[in-house]
């Protein structure tokens, strides 16, 4: 279905990378290669620590634990996203230590450094959530800054929350030094009254409490039991989606995406990753050799089969941009026509990531897809082997499991990620349609210029059957920051309106969102997209069969409204949010900030 061989693409991609890879960094690498005595393993660190004139640098490194022998070893930066602001990352300092053990035992010198993380789950529904997508860029910039400054020869990046992962991968692509990404691992399920819980259970319980389906004591019990410890949110939400995508891309060791955060397997994964980077250095295998167009197509295929988060669209576009690979919004449609949704995982399904781990993770799924010709098996991976070689000896799922459906009995015969166009989304929009909600929805617009206003209306009972909730001015520039709408969508579910109303927005959705929802609408309202002129009472149709998002007004009325529309003043004029709003591009291009041409 995908057409052409991976190695041909790799050759083309390498040529393009060495001709056009981010001019400044390309020039830096060429300079370093020309002046280095050891091109294979110490290309960058040798310029920092070799020779009489580098004595001051060595003096400072002695103080942080370097021995004389360490200066002769390749230096591997361990990018740790450890933080106590969220359970997703609270354990990653220990995983970074294990990765360092792997590096040092393989005769490298590990240097651990930190970058930031924020918590989507904690900030959800507040003004603070506007910093979430921004953090992806800050993480990428900070890792690039440290590695570029310190002269590390390779990288192990460990991420445990939604924006850590694409942030790490963007930096890895920009730097193009031997690198491996390690997922921090999934959380285990909470439990209340013999029912498994996760963070989305709490969001939906809020809606249930507002609808008097549960009382305060029940809400408090669910709140207290939903998050039992360290690890990323437990369904096929954004963190587990992106971990799976990166493994399918070839940039993580096999099974890195499918291990519990607190487990011996995850510790071993980190140790193996540390050692594996040294092998990549010896073989001179760089991210640009692995992250080809075919490899990104593999990542998209696996995301679809797993029923993954809409955020994967945004992040894969951004990662591909950083890798100089031509992936567009329409590639999700092209691939999605042939790939079925097979995983019965939360939020729309029954099972958690921890339960998928128990039956073998995503490797057997990938083998199923490969056997059906839906993956490029000849793509190189961080093991130094091809994807097909990695999967050759993988055992199939046990016969009695029903988490992953077989190809003949899919949950949905094609992709749940549906790219819509129309007079409301000239630049495209992304819907998450599993089929359980139906494939079309026509309803009456109720318009809100901020997420908080919509949530208040939902909880107050103002939203009724047949409404299309419109939340605008929440896009990359308008928000700024493109907040996730988990609070409104969870409240809708908690109110029992999941199949009765729809929600559309130029913001985005948490991986925990389900229901009839459309996000990433472009052009966004703030830059004069048609979402800005929708009025209460307008009729809107979401059509996932014909891939259309339509506002039912005539062209004359649309033109009249555009004539009257005025762009709102920016919500932020100083600081990181203002800088982000000025630099960020469209969600249909990945909402990246480094396309400065």
């Amino acid at each position: 279905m995908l057409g052409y061989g991976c190695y041909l693409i790799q050759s083309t991609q390498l040529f393009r990378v060495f001709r056009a890879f981010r001019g400044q960094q390309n020039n830096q690498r060429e300079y370093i290669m020309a002046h280095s005595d050891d091109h294979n393993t110490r290309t960058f660190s040798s310029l920092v620590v070799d020779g009489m004139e580098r004595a001051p640098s060595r003096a400072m490194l002695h103080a942080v634990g370097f021995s004389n022998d360490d200066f002769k070893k390749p230096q591997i930066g361990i990018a740790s996203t450890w933080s106590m602001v969220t359970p997703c990352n609270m354990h990653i300092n220990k995983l970074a230590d294990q990765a360092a053990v792997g590096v040092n035992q393989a005769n490298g010198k590990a240097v651990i450094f930190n970058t930031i993380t924020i918590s989507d789950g904690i900030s959800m529904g507040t003004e603070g959530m506007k910093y979430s997508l921004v953090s992806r860029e800050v993480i990428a910039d900070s890792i690039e800054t440290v590695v570029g400054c310190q002269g590390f020869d390779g990288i192990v990046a460990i991420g445990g929350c939604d924006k850590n992962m694409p942030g790490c991968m963007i930096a890895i692509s920009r730097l193009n030094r031997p690198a491996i990404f390690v997922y921090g691992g999934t959380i285990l399920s909470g439990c209340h009254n013999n029912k498994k819980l996760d963070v989305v259970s709490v969001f939906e319980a809020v809606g249930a409490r507002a609808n008097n389906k549960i009382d305060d004591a029940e809400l408090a019990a669910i709140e207290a039991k939903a998050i039992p410890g360290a690890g990323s949110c437990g369904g096929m939400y954004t963190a587990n989606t992106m971990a799976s995508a990166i493994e399918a891309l070839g940039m993580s060791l096999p099974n890195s995406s499918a291990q519990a955060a607190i487990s011996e397997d995850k510790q071993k994964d980190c140790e193996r990753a540390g050692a594996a980077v040294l092998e990549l250095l010896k073989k001179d295998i760089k991210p640009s050799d692995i992250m080809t167009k075919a490899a990104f197509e593999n990542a998209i295929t696996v995301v679809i089969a797993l029923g993954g988060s809409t955020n994967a669209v945004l992040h894969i576009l951004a990662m591909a941009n950083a890798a100089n690979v031509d992936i567009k919004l329409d590639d999700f449609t092209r691939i999605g026509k042939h790939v079925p949704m097979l995983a019965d995982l939360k939020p729309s399904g029954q099972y958690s990531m921890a339960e998928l781990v128990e039956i073998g993770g995503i490797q057997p799924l990938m083998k199923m897809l490969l056997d059906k010709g839906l993956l490029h098996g000849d793509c190189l991976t961080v093991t130094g082997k091809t994807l097909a070689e990695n999967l050759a000896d993988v055992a199939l799922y046990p016969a009695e499991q029903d988490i992953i459906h077989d190809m003949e009995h899919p949950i949905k015969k094609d992709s749940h990620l549906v790219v819509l166009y129309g007079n409301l989304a000239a630049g495209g929009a992304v819907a998450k349609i599993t089929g359980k909600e139906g494939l079309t929805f026509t309803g009456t617009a109720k318009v809100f210029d901020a997420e908080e206003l919509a949530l208040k209306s939902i909880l107050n009972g103002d939203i009724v059957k047949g409404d299309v909730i419109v939340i605008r001015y929440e896009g990359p520039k308008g928000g700024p920051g493109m907040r996730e709408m988990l609070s409104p969508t969870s409240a809708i579910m908690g109110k029992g309106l999941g199949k009765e109303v729809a929600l559309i927005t130029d913001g985005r959705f948490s991986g925990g969102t389900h229901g009839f929802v459309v996000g990433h609408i472009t052009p966004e309202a703030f830059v004069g997209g048609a979402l800005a002129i929708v009025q209460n009472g307008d009729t809107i149709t979401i059509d996932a069969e014909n891939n259309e998002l339509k506002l039912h007004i005539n062209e004359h009325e649309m033109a009249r409204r555009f004539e009257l529309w005025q762009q709102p003043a920016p919500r932020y004029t100083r600081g990181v949010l203002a800088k982000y709003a000025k630099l960020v591009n469209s969600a249909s291009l990945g909402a990246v900030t480094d396309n400065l041409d």
Side-chain angles (χ1 to χ4, degrees):
M1 92 162 183
L2 298 172
Y4 41 89
C6 186
Y7 286 127
L8 175 61
I9 299 169
Q10 287 168 356
S11 300
T12 304
Q13 196 62 35
L14 278 169
F15 180 76
R16 188 164 68 196
V17 166
F18 280 101
R19 288 287 301 272
F21 179 74
R22 301 194 184 281
Q24 192 172 16
Q25 289 164 331
N26 192 40
N27 292 340
Q28 179 192 40
R29 179 174 175 80
E30 288 177 359
Y31 174 85
I32 290 171
M33 291 292 287
H35 292 79
S36 172
D37 293 329
D38 186 347
H39 295 334
N40 289 326
T41 62
R42 298 185 60 243
T43 299
F44 298 94
S45 63
S46 60
L47 288 188
V48 176
V49 299
D50 287 4
M52 176 189 68
E53 70 276 14
R54 304 312 304 166
S57 303
R58 294 194 298 274
M60 296 190 74
L61 291 170
H62 278 304
V64 298
F66 274 62
S67 68
N68 287 331
D69 285 342
D70 289 335
F71 296 123
K72 303 171 186 176
K73 300 173 182 177
Q75 293 182 31
I76 307 298
I78 312 291
S80 168
T81 59
W82 171 83
S83 173
M84 288 303 291
V85 305
T86 170
C88 308
N89 294 65
M90 61 189 281
H91 62 303
I92 285 179
N93 55 340
K94 296 175 183 176
L95 297 184
D97 289 340
Q98 290 301 121
V101 168
V103 169
N104 295 334
Q105 288 181 345
N107 204 34
K109 175 58 179 175
V111 182
I112 299 173
F113 66 96
N114 264 90
T115 183
I116 67 158
T117 192
I118 56 87
S119 173
D120 292 352
I122 295 170
S123 64
M124 196 73 69
T126 73
E127 192 73 2
M129 184 63 186
K130 293 182 177 180
Y131 290 89
S132 170
L133 189 57
V134 177
S135 76
R136 184 188 74 183
E137 309 305 299
V138 176
I139 291 163
D141 290 350
S142 65
I143 293 174
E144 179 190 351
T145 299
V146 174
V147 173
C149 176
Q150 297 300 124
F152 296 142
D153 301 298
I155 310 158
V156 176
I158 309 172
C161 199
D162 298 13
K163 309 309 167 299
N164 302 161
M165 287 176 268
C168 288
M169 292 304 302
I170 290 167
I172 283 169
S173 293
R174 291 176 185 169
L175 291 158
N176 201 33
R177 305 178 191 190
I180 292 179
F181 177 79
V182 178
Y183 180 39
T186 187
I187 198 170
L188 300 178
S189 297
C191 186
H192 176 62
N193 291 339
N194 294 318
K195 181 180 179 181
K196 291 184 177 180
L197 302 175
D198 60 22
V199 67
V200 177
S201 307
V202 188
F203 280 97
E204 293 185 359
V206 172
R209 178 66 191 92
N211 206 27
N212 291 316
K213 291 183 176 180
I214 62 174
D215 59 18
D216 288 339
E218 182 73 1
L219 176 60
I222 293 170
E223 171 191 328
K225 298 175 181 179
I227 312 293
S232 298
C233 299
M236 189 47 63
Y237 309 146
T238 304
N240 284 317
T241 298
M242 291 312 302
S244 301
I246 293 167
E247 182 176 328
L249 187 65
M251 287 301 298
S252 292
L253 293 176
N255 269 331
S256 184
S257 71
Q259 295 160 342
I262 306 301
S263 68
E264 186 177 346
D265 285 342
K266 182 47 66 183
Q267 293 184 41
K268 289 180 179 177
D269 180 41
C270 293
E271 204 168 309
R272 284 194 297 266
V277 170
L278 274 299
E279 290 301 312
L280 294 175
L281 272 169
K282 292 174 186 175
K283 296 174 181 176
D284 195 28
I285 296 174
K286 296 180 290 297
S288 59
D289 302 322
I290 296 170
M291 297 171 67
T292 63
K293 185 174 179 94
F296 275 100
E297 290 175 337
N298 285 346
I300 293 168
T301 296
V302 169
V303 166
I304 292 169
L306 288 168
S309 167
T310 54
N311 279 319
V313 178
L314 196 72
H315 296 323
I316 286 174
L317 290 170
M319 288 158 50
N321 172 77
N324 252 351
V325 174
D326 183 24
I327 293 291
K328 293 185 171 63
L329 198 58
D330 290 340
D331 288 317
F332 288 83
T333 300
R334 172 177 60 83
I335 294 169
K337 291 177 181 178
H338 305 280
V339 180
M341 178 180 163
L342 300 173
D344 190 17
L345 294 167
K346 294 182 177 182
S348 58
Q350 303 179 62
Y351 296 102
S352 69
M353 188 67 178
E355 290 168 301
L356 180 59
V357 170
E358 291 175 3
I359 63 167
I362 72 166
Q363 290 279 298
L365 171 65
M366 290 172 65
K367 188 168 186 175
M368 289 167 55
L369 294 167
L370 179 66
D371 290 345
K372 291 292 186 180
L374 297 175
L375 291 177
H376 298 286
D378 52 357
C379 287
L380 188 64
T381 74
V382 291
T383 65
K385 300 178 181 179
T386 66
L387 182 70
E389 289 172 330
N390 289 345
L391 295 173
D393 297 324
V394 170
L396 299 177
Y397 290 119
E400 64 276 9
Q401 68 84 29
D402 60 355
I403 300 173
I404 303 294
H405 289 214
D406 60 44
M407 301 291 290
E408 289 69 38
H409 303 91
I411 293 171
K412 190 171 185 282
K413 64 179 179 62
D414 52 12
S415 180
H416 65 298
L417 297 175
V418 181
V419 178
L420 306 175
Y421 291 96
N423 65 356
L424 260 180
V430 180
K432 187 177 184 180
I433 308 293
T434 66
K436 296 179 180 180
E437 311 85 357
L439 296 174
T440 63
F441 190 101
T442 297
T444 303
K446 285 191 176 173
V447 183
F448 303 93
D449 287 350
E451 177 189 2
E452 291 89 346
L453 299 174
L455 178 61
K456 182 178 179 181
S457 188
I458 295 165
L459 294 177
N460 285 345
D462 298 332
I463 301 300
V464 298
K465 179 179 179 180
D467 284 343
V468 178
I469 302 165
V470 177
I471 304 179
R472 63 191 179 194
Y473 299 115
E474 291 285 4
K477 289 183 176 293
M482 208 177 177
R483 285 193 289 185
E484 294 178 349
M485 302 296 145
L486 182 57
S487 293
T489 59
S490 296
I492 289 167
M493 287 295 173
K495 284 274 194 176
L497 292 170
K499 295 182 180 180
E500 312 296 340
V501 304
L503 189 153
I504 69 172
T505 181
D506 51 7
R508 58 196 175 94
F509 295 109
S510 163
T513 290
H514 55 126
F516 219 115
V517 296
V518 181
H520 307 200
I521 293 175
T522 57
E524 61 176 289
F526 185 79
V527 301
L531 204 66
I533 62 165
V534 178
Q535 296 179 0
N536 286 327
D538 285 345
T539 300
I540 293 172
T541 293
I542 304 163
D543 185 346
E545 293 180 308
N546 296 301
N547 295 359
E548 187 176 30
L549 181 61
K550 184 176 182 180
L551 174 64
H552 291 275
I553 61 173
N554 60 44
E555 292 183 7
H556 175 77
E557 175 62 13
M558 184 169 277
R560 186 189 70 81
R561 292 186 190 182
F562 273 125
E563 185 71 25
L564 295 173
W565 178 79
Q566 292 185 329
Q567 185 180 59
R571 287 170 168 161
Y572 289 84
T573 58
R574 296 176 65 88
V576 67
L577 291 178
K579 286 189 286 187
Y580 180 84
K582 186 175 181 64
L583 293 173
V584 70
N585 68 9
S586 167
S588 63
L589 300 174
V592 299
T593 59
D594 61 346
N595 280 354
L596 304 179
D597 296 338

